[in-house]
């Protein structure tokens, strides 16, 4: 959520109540619609623009109004509707004076997974401006998206149907140290207050929590207490490592005043939370700016968050602030720089215990909308080597807010997506990357009579320094799999296999797991040559 981004559910900004139009003239409808749009009340602006469009006679203004309607739908994450009105603009020759229409149309086509049509529109813009980096990167990202879709990663994705409703459910965070409670933001029934957010047309967002039982089943979500939830929007939270402080995003409202979002914190008190307090990060006089989506490092003294503070790379950027223990205040925010931030939007950061930084972005090359990326920790408060997590963690739609299960590294966790097939407008998804497992089965037989040879010594040496020696059973069989949860055959490793027994010649072979991307059971049939034949005569080699 938070004003940080033009996503209806992600950044549920202050809803500004606009004054009703005086009279029924087209001019007043358009003016009221423009005011609503400026205040990001897109849900209300659409209806006003549609009334204005019906009465408008001038083709140029009619085209502008259709473009504004398309923009409302784009901000509300309804790309199909946005495409419809961008196409109307095209019919009304809006592109003649506004060729950037091709970029907008390409973006919503890309968000629907129509990468070929999106490429065509990026190329249409390149015919007007051959040096456009936006169009070039857009066309290239479509090419990558097709490749990633055709060659997906091995992640298993599952909609959390026990948690999701047909509303906005997004941006999960752990609510306890054991990782058994999940906190998330939702616009479902039961939210605090009965007002409607003019940006989304739904209830204002609250923070909810659900706890799973020992069988992994999630319980009925319950809203957090009134010390945290208000009649405004709350969302995008993070719990400190100690489990004693919850940081989250809140977007207050004031009549006729545009106020951005802020980060708040609440201290644990028994089974509940104390009254939330604001973290002061904005400079004086910058109330209209927004800060949100906090993540905290293991020490609790470094916070990374998203903001549109001045001095960034463009759009919404990731910033960090450090806690001054002596004065008990957060220091001045510092931009993470151009390696992480782009001219697009970067938000929803997540720091792992190993200092890996995950975040979502519209500026780095992606599959459409927000994509999830990871960056390696390079030095003190710097990250590098930004990498797209690819399909199916990313999709043509918006994907964001990734977190991980305790002790799973990056193999299991949760994220948010509005991809097709979901239960609501935004849903929580779990993901699991099954381990790539290897084993080796060795069968040893006598080369002369094909009878199994028991008691054969089999030595397995890996180029990772590992070594294990075992003997075959009565059937001449030996399985290298695991012992005390430790596996014998590891990833990206080459092994030398040596098979030996008295009165037989030594046999050798090699196996390798390098480049293997799927689990595999290696099978080796070894035929040992006796040093004497059946008559007791030595065999001459």
């Amino acid at each position: 959520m938070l004003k940080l981004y033009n996503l209806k559910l992600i950044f549920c900004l202050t809803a500004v109540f606009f004054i009703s139009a005086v009279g029924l003239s087209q001019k007043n409808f358009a003016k009221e619609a423009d005011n609503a749009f400026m205040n990001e009340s897109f849900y209300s602006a659409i209806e006003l623009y549609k009334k204005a469009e019906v009465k408008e006679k001038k083709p140029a203004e009619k085209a502008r109004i259709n473009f504004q309607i398309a923009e409302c739908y784009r901000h509300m994450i309804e790309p199909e509707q946005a495409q419809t009105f961008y196409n109307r603009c095209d019919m009304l020759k809006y592109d003649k004076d506004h060729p950037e229409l091709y970029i907008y149309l390409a973006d919503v086509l890309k968000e629907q997974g129509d990468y070929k049509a999106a490429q065509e529109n990026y190329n249409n813009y390149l015919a007007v401006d051959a040096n456009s980096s936006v169009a070039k990167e857009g066309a290239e990202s479509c090419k990558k998206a097709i490749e990633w879709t055709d060659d997906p990663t091995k992640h298993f994705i599952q909609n959390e149907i026990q948690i999701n409703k047909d509303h906005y459910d997004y941006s999960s965070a752990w609510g306890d140290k054991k990782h058994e409670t999940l906190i998330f933001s939702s616009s479902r029934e039961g939210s605090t207050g009965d007002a409607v957010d003019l940006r989304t047309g739904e209830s204002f967002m609250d923070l909810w929590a659900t706890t799973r039982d020992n069988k992994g089943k999630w319980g009925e979500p319950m809203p957090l207490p009134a010390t945290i939830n208000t009649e405004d929007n709350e969302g995008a939270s993070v719990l400190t490592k100690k489990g004693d402080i919850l940081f989250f995003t809140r977007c207050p409202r004031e009549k006729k005043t545009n106020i951005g979002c802020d980060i708040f914190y609440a201290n644990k008190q028994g089974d509940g939370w104390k009254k939330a307090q604001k973290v002061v990060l904005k400079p004086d006089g910058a109330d209209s700016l927004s800060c949100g989506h906090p993540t905290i490092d293991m020490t609790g003294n470094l916070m990374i968050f998203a903001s549109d503070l001045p001095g960034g790379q463009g759009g919404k950027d990731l910033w960090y602030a450090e806690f001054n223990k002596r004065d008990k205040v957060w220091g001045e925010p510092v931009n993470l720089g151009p390696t992480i931030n782009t001219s697009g939007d970067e938000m929803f950061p997540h720091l792992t215990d190993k200092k890996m930084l995950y975040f979502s972005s519209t500026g780095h090359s992606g599959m459409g909308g927000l994509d999830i990326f990871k960056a390696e920790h390079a030095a003190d408060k710097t990250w590098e080597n930004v990498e797209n997590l690819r399909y199916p963690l990313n999709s043509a739609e918006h994907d964001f807010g990734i977190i991980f299960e305790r002790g799973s590294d990056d193999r299991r966790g949760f994220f948010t997506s509005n991809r097709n097939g979901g239960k609501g407008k935004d849903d929580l998804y779990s993901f699991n990357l099954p381990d790539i497992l290897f084993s080796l089965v060795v069968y040893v037989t006598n080369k002369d009579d094909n009878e199994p040879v028991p008691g054969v010594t089999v030595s397995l040496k890996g180029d990772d320094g590992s070594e294990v020696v075992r003997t075959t059973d009565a059937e001449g069989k030996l399985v290298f799999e695991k012992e005390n949860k430790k596996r014998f055959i590891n990833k990206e490793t080459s092994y030398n296999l040596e098979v030996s027994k008295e009165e037989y010649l030594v046999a050798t072979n090699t196996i390798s797991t390098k480049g293997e991307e799927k689990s595999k059971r290696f099978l080796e049939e070894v035929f040992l040559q006796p040093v004497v034949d059946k008559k007791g005569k030595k065999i001459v080699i």
Side-chain angles (χ1 to χ4, degrees), residues 38 43 114 151 198 274 474:
M38 289 296 295
Y43 181 78
D114 192 348
D151 183 25
L198 297 181
K274 292 183 179 180

Side-chain angles (χ1 to χ4, degrees), residues 313-324:
Q313 308 300 315
K316 281 64 182 178
D317 280 4
L318 296 187
W319 301 70
Y320 74 82
E322 295 182 272
F323 188 67
N324 187 317

Side-chain angles (χ1 to χ4, degrees), residues 359-511:
F359 63 97
S360 290
S361 172
T362 61
H364 292 282
S365 184
M367 298 186 67
L370 282 168
D371 269 20
I372 306 172
F373 296 82
K374 68 177 180 180
E376 298 174 354
H377 184 249
D380 187 34
K381 296 178 284 296
T382 61
W383 285 263
E384 62 184 13
N385 298 329
V386 175
E387 179 183 346
N388 189 297
L389 296 192
R390 301 173 53 179
Y391 180 81
L393 282 175
N394 287 319
S395 67
E397 292 83 8
H398 293 281
D399 307 285
F400 57 96
I402 195 168
I403 61 172
F404 301 99
E405 293 271 15
R406 185 175 61 170
S408 71
D409 289 330
D410 59 354
R411 305 185 71 85
R412 292 183 294 117
F414 297 86
F415 69 102
T416 304
S417 180
N418 69 332
R419 63 187 61 193
N420 291 332
K423 192 174 180 180
K425 298 176 180 178
D426 277 316
D427 279 356
L428 301 182
Y429 287 81
S430 61
F431 66 90
N432 176 38
L433 181 61
D435 287 329
I436 300 176
L437 304 177
F438 301 104
S439 61
L440 169 64
V441 181
V442 180
Y443 290 97
V444 183
T445 58
N446 188 309
K447 187 176 181 181
D448 285 351
D449 56 17
N450 287 325
E451 291 295 322
V453 183
V456 175
T457 300
V458 181
S459 172
L460 190 67
K461 295 181 180 180
D463 62 7
D464 60 352
S466 62
E467 181 177 358
V468 60
V469 179
R470 295 289 186 272
T471 55
T472 58
D473 60 17
E475 297 179 349
K477 179 182 176 182
L478 176 61
V479 178
F480 290 99
E481 191 164 23
K482 64 179 179 179
E483 186 176 72
N484 297 327
K485 297 184 179 181
K486 180 181 179 181
R487 302 197 69 86
F488 292 127
I489 313 297
N490 302 317
K491 293 184 290 185
E492 298 298 317
T493 308
S494 293
Y495 293 91
N496 288 319
L497 185 68
E498 184 177 285
V499 182
S500 62
K501 187 178 182 180
E502 286 187 19
E503 300 182 350
Y504 290 88
L505 297 180
V506 175
T508 61
N509 203 353
T510 61
I511 65 168

